[in-house]
Amino acid sequence: MAHGFDKDFWERHWQERRAEGPGSTGGNPPNPYLAREVSGLTPGTALDAGCGAGAEAIWLASHGWDVTAADISSEALAHAARRAAVSGASERVRWVAADLGVWHPDTRFDLVMTHYAHPAMPQLDFYDRIAGWVAPGGTLLIVGHLHTPESTPHAPDSAAEHGHHPPAEASVTSAAITARVDGTEWEVVTAEEHRRTLTGGGGRAVPLHDVVVRATKRRG
């Protein structure tokens, strides 16, 4: 069942982030799993699917990757482009306004990654879709949410901080993801679930329960 994270939803979300000013989630550093999972890879071409405020795309660009950063929200992309200009990484990033549920890139990438992206389609179907954009020998990196009865996680770049929790179909487990990518086409390198705490707007603690999956697409 598709959920309501459409373009209008995300435009409103990022307008709210801009209104909050310094200290909002739009200024967060890159996801900590990114450096851990890709630092050992040879830089090449990358797609950041649902790039939001651009922290991860900028990190990749600053480490030698040529990045296509796609998001449905023009507000988010404008904010991300400003951050990239300040960082000096803008020459290595191409910002693309795209609905990832229907958009098709014109090439495959050495790295396709997504961090907490919630499209207007079932979450696992979204992961299937972006996995098809990985070049042979390339890497797929997924960082998503795991909801449990004991803990309601909140996404640092989602509306969760304002009480709008991602619906059930936006929650995934590492086992559910690896079941879709494991087999003859993929080698799963990382499949983990972690708890951590992020400092959100106003200095409030935001608990996260993360799912991290990295897989390499086999050649031939």
Side-chain angles (χ1 to χ4, degrees), residues 114 123-124 127-128 131 140-146 170-182 186 188 190-193 210-215:
T114 186
Q123 201 70 33
L124 289 172
Y127 296 151
D128 287 345
L140 174 69
L141 175 61
I142 294 170
V143 180
H145 298 300
L146 174 64
S171 176
V172 293
T173 64
S174 59
I177 299 172
T178 57
R180 307 287 277 253
V181 301
D182 202 3
W186 295 90
V188 176
T190 302
E192 300 174 349
E193 296 168 1
D210 297 329
V211 175
V212 183
V213 173
R214 174 164 63 102

Side-chain angles (χ1 to χ4, degrees), residues 2 15 44 51-52 60 70 95 98 121 126-128 150 180 199 219:
Q15 289 165 5
C51 64
L60 283 180
W95 306 103
M121 65 186 297
F126 170 64
Y127 296 151
D128 287 345
E150 296 80 15
R180 307 287 277 253
T199 301
R219 298 181 186 274

Side-chain angles (χ1 to χ4, degrees), residues 5 26 44 49 63 74 109 114 125 129 145 154 190 197:
F5 286 140
H63 287 78
S74 58
F109 301 89
T114 186
D125 290 350
R129 181 173 174 76
H145 298 300
H154 299 270
T190 302
T197 301

Side-chain angles (χ1 to χ4, degrees), residues 15-219:
Q15 289 165 5
E16 291 172 1
R17 296 291 80 75
R18 181 179 61 172
E20 287 180 1
S24 73
T25 57
N28 279 343
N31 192 287
Y33 306 114
L34 176 61
R36 189 191 72 176
E37 295 297 332
V38 309
S39 289
L41 302 179
T42 301
T45 60
L47 171 69
D48 187 358
C51 64
E56 289 75 32
I58 293 168
W59 187 93
L60 283 180
S62 68
H63 287 78
W65 292 81
D66 293 313
V67 185
T68 298
D71 200 278
I72 198 170
S73 169
S74 58
E75 184 78 27
L77 290 170
H79 180 82
R82 290 192 294 269
R83 292 183 71 180
V86 172
S87 73
S90 57
E91 292 184 359
R92 285 190 172 272
V93 186
R94 180 172 69 102
W95 306 103
V96 177
D99 179 346
L100 294 169
V102 298
W103 178 72
H104 292 276
D106 55 9
T107 187
R108 293 186 179 184
F109 301 89
D110 300 313
L111 169 65
V112 173
M113 66 178 188
T114 186
H115 295 77
Y116 306 128
H118 298 317
M121 65 186 297
Q123 201 70 33
L124 289 172
D125 290 350
F126 170 64
Y127 296 151
D128 287 345
R129 181 173 174 76
I130 67 172
W133 304 337
V134 180
T139 296
L140 174 69
L141 175 61
I142 294 170
V143 180
H145 298 300
L146 174 64
H147 298 192
T148 66
E150 296 80 15
S151 173
T152 302
H154 299 270
D157 277 347
S158 81
E161 288 195 303
H162 288 257
H164 303 293
H165 301 161
E169 62 267 33
S171 176
V172 293
T173 64
S174 59
I177 299 172
T178 57
R180 307 287 277 253
V181 301
D182 202 3
T184 58
E185 189 178 9
W186 295 90
E187 177 185 356
V188 176
V189 180
T190 302
E192 300 174 349
E193 296 168 1
H194 298 277
R195 295 179 185 270
R196 65 188 181 97
T197 301
L198 180 77
T199 301
R204 63 187 178 278
V206 181
L208 302 175
H209 196 174
D210 297 329
V211 175
V212 183
V213 173
R214 174 164 63 102
T216 303
K217 193 169 191 178
R218 302 182 194 275
R219 298 181 186 274

